[in-house]
Amino acid sequence: MSKIVILGAGISGHVAAAHLRRKLSKEHEVVVVSPNSNYQWIPSNIWVGIGRMKSEKILFPLAPLYKKKGIGFKQAKAVSFHPEGDSTEQKPYVLSEYVVGDNKGKQEKVTYDYLINATGPKLNFEATEGLIPGENKTYSVCTYTHADHAWEGLSALIEDMKKGKKAKILIGTGHAKSTCQGAAFEYILNVEEELQKHNVRDMAEITWIANEHELGDFGMDGVLMSYNDMIMKSSELVEMIFEDRGIKWIIGAGVNKIEDGIAHYETLDGDYKTESYDFAMLIPAFSGHGFKAYDKNENDITEKLFKGFMIVDADYTSKPYEEWTVQDWPETYQNPSYKNIFAPGIAFAPPHAISKPRKSKNGTDISPAPPRTGMPSGITAKLVAENIIETIKNGKTSTDHKGSLGNMGAACIASAGFGFWKGSGVSITTYPIVPDFKKYPDSHGRHLGKTFGAIGLAGHWLKLMLHYAFIYKAKMRPFWWLIPE
Amino acid sequence: MKRISPRMRFRMMNPFLQFFKFIILSVKIMVIVAGGHGGTREKVK
């Protein structure tokens, strides 16, 4: 009998738990430890942030589902890792602290045979002075509560604009090393569309601000793609859309401080500038959770497990951009020191960025961190679960299931406006996610047949279909496993 | 700079045309995403 503990119940943790429970007999224990009571389908936060979808539509409580499916659930947060146990506990464990109920504040040693760290990122708002969701007129759409607050702020501003107020809206990245430009891209297009629908578009100046050196970098070093009958750069696609929507842009900008209605930023040229606004949605930097790890003698072994995020089977050798290869990226998401610990999704430490690193003239790093969206999170979680399942069933270590971001495709369906007949979406697929410049030297590291873009109503329908399909899947309704990650 | 022409906009928002686009996109995305994934290191040995 084996016990598999999963830290986190986001896309990655939930996918792993679902597959493990489905394929392992009941004699094996699957336990999820998460401080969150709800599962949330994060990609639809964009629609919550413009008031077109209630947050209740994108979440559901985890406890009843897990109880029904035979998955253990502890609403607790991980405190520290003890992969060798300690003087009183022979088995490896994670020290966890309950966050609700009678046990709130109580700590428990959650022992395991296999550990899946799917804790995702810490939303590191503190890295930017004054960037606090709901304060200084800044908002976020990173969680459904943040998105609810964003809509409250935006709807109040729309009412002011209806009364004649001119407004400045700033959307993009809130730190020189932020990632997730795609979410901000979706939000700015949806906000612009909402202002059109409320007949106040002419009252607003909308500006994109990002740490990208050119539009459409998205933390993926930009994309060369097929678009209709053309081959087009993602920068040209985004520029075409922004031009069409009357959106201004500031790029190569590392936001470093927020005051009430003022964003301070440094440019790649080394200039220090400010941009005023009445409403801002800025994506923070992501970071690891700062977990500590100890061996059985209570010695600090954090560097064996963490490098910000969790260390896995990547090549972390420091090297210049020109020497980066897809082989640097992990395949099994297994920690090299402790083979029964895995970190799929966003929890693993990437070997390096995907976009070319850039510094300002003052030496400040201003370039996007690598994005890891829902689709690769689900795929990597599933392959980790499959390796654990085969290891348990066969009685010997299996790492046959592999999934490098350098050999995996992804689709980004970015909403560009909500509405069954008037909505729009920008659909972009990339293969592979991490460009393979040796395999595809003439197309910026990607397969042009599998890397394409499309704009239109079909994109909105696709995003809506994915919303319902993935919530159906997450609820583990009949035949849920037929829906791919 | 490329711009979205009225003809392009008509095609982007026409429900009839976009229905077929939706089918094509769904199939293409399914092929790319569900089409498999794997490692990279063996191939360079």
Side-chain angles (χ1 to χ4, degrees), chain A residues 227 232 239-240 243-244 313 327 329 331 375 379 402 404 407 422-423 450 452 455-458, chain B residues 1-3 9 12-13 18-19 22 25-26 28-30 32-33 37-44:
Chain A
Y227 180 82
M232 185 187 249
E239 194 173 308
M240 182 175 78
E243 179 71 18
D244 185 61
D313 61 319
Q327 285 76 33
W329 287 79
E331 297 181 330
M375 189 180 296
I379 291 171
K402 293 176 179 172
S404 164
N407 187 5
K422 299 286 183 185
K450 295 180 179 177
F452 61 88
I455 310 172
L457 181 57
Chain B
M1 182 187 295
K2 291 182 176 63
R3 299 218 174 183
R9 194 183 312 281
M12 283 174 187
M13 301 308 293
Q18 288 294 307
F19 174 75
F22 172 74
L25 276 175
S26 299
K28 283 176 83 172
I29 288 169
M30 188 69 85
I32 292 166
V33 174
H37 49 79
T40 55
R41 291 173 192 156
E42 295 91 337
K43 293 174 184 175
V44 294

Side-chain angles (χ1 to χ4, degrees), chain A residues 221-282:
Chain A
D221 214 20
V223 177
L224 190 67
M225 66 175 86
S226 310
Y227 180 82
N228 291 335
D229 300 328
M230 296 180 285
I231 304 297
M232 185 187 249
K233 287 165 74 177
S234 52
S235 57
E236 294 171 317
L237 182 84
V238 173
E239 194 173 308
M240 182 175 78
I241 295 167
F242 280 2
E243 179 71 18
D244 185 61
R245 300 285 192 100
I247 295 170
K248 297 178 177 178
W249 60 85
I250 301 167
I251 50 176
V255 173
N256 49 37
K257 185 180 175 184
I258 297 291
E259 292 179 313
D260 188 21
I262 302 171
H264 296 256
Y265 64 95
E266 180 184 347
T267 67
L268 282 169
D269 291 332
D271 299 326
Y272 294 95
K273 296 184 174 179
T274 59
E275 183 71 17
S276 62
Y277 60 84
D278 298 286
F279 174 94
M281 198 296 290
L282 299 170

Side-chain angles (χ1 to χ4, degrees), chain A residues 236-387:
Chain A
E236 294 171 317
L237 182 84
V238 173
E239 194 173 308
M240 182 175 78
I241 295 167
F242 280 2
E243 179 71 18
D244 185 61
R245 300 285 192 100
I247 295 170
K248 297 178 177 178
W249 60 85
I250 301 167
I251 50 176
V255 173
N256 49 37
K257 185 180 175 184
I258 297 291
E259 292 179 313
D260 188 21
I262 302 171
H264 296 256
Y265 64 95
E266 180 184 347
T267 67
L268 282 169
D269 291 332
D271 299 326
Y272 294 95
K273 296 184 174 179
T274 59
E275 183 71 17
S276 62
Y277 60 84
D278 298 286
F279 174 94
M281 198 296 290
L282 299 170
I283 303 285
F286 288 0
S287 72
H289 292 268
F291 295 126
K292 290 280 186 184
Y294 301 93
D295 69 8
K296 60 186 171 188
N297 299 316
E298 297 293 319
N299 296 313
D300 191 324
I301 54 162
T302 303
E303 79 285 352
K304 276 187 167 180
L305 258 69
F306 296 102
K307 189 182 170 70
F309 293 94
M310 182 165 261
I311 294 169
V312 293
D313 61 319
D315 180 354
Y316 293 106
T317 311
S318 181
K319 51 184 133 179
Y321 171 79
E322 290 72 22
E323 293 175 22
W324 291 355
T325 68
V326 287
Q327 285 76 33
D328 300 339
W329 287 79
E331 297 181 330
T332 62
Y333 306 89
Q334 185 180 42
N335 179 263
S337 302
Y338 298 96
K339 304 285 188 187
N340 58 343
I341 299 180
F342 300 83
I346 306 178
F348 77 86
H352 42 65
I354 300 173
S355 297
K356 185 175 183 176
R358 286 178 167 81
K359 283 183 188 290
S360 75
K361 287 181 178 172
N362 309 312
T364 308
D365 290 315
I366 303 177
S367 53
R372 281 162 289 168
T373 55
M375 189 180 296
S377 292
I379 291 171
T380 55
K382 185 181 178 186
L383 75 88
V384 163
E386 285 175 329
N387 280 333

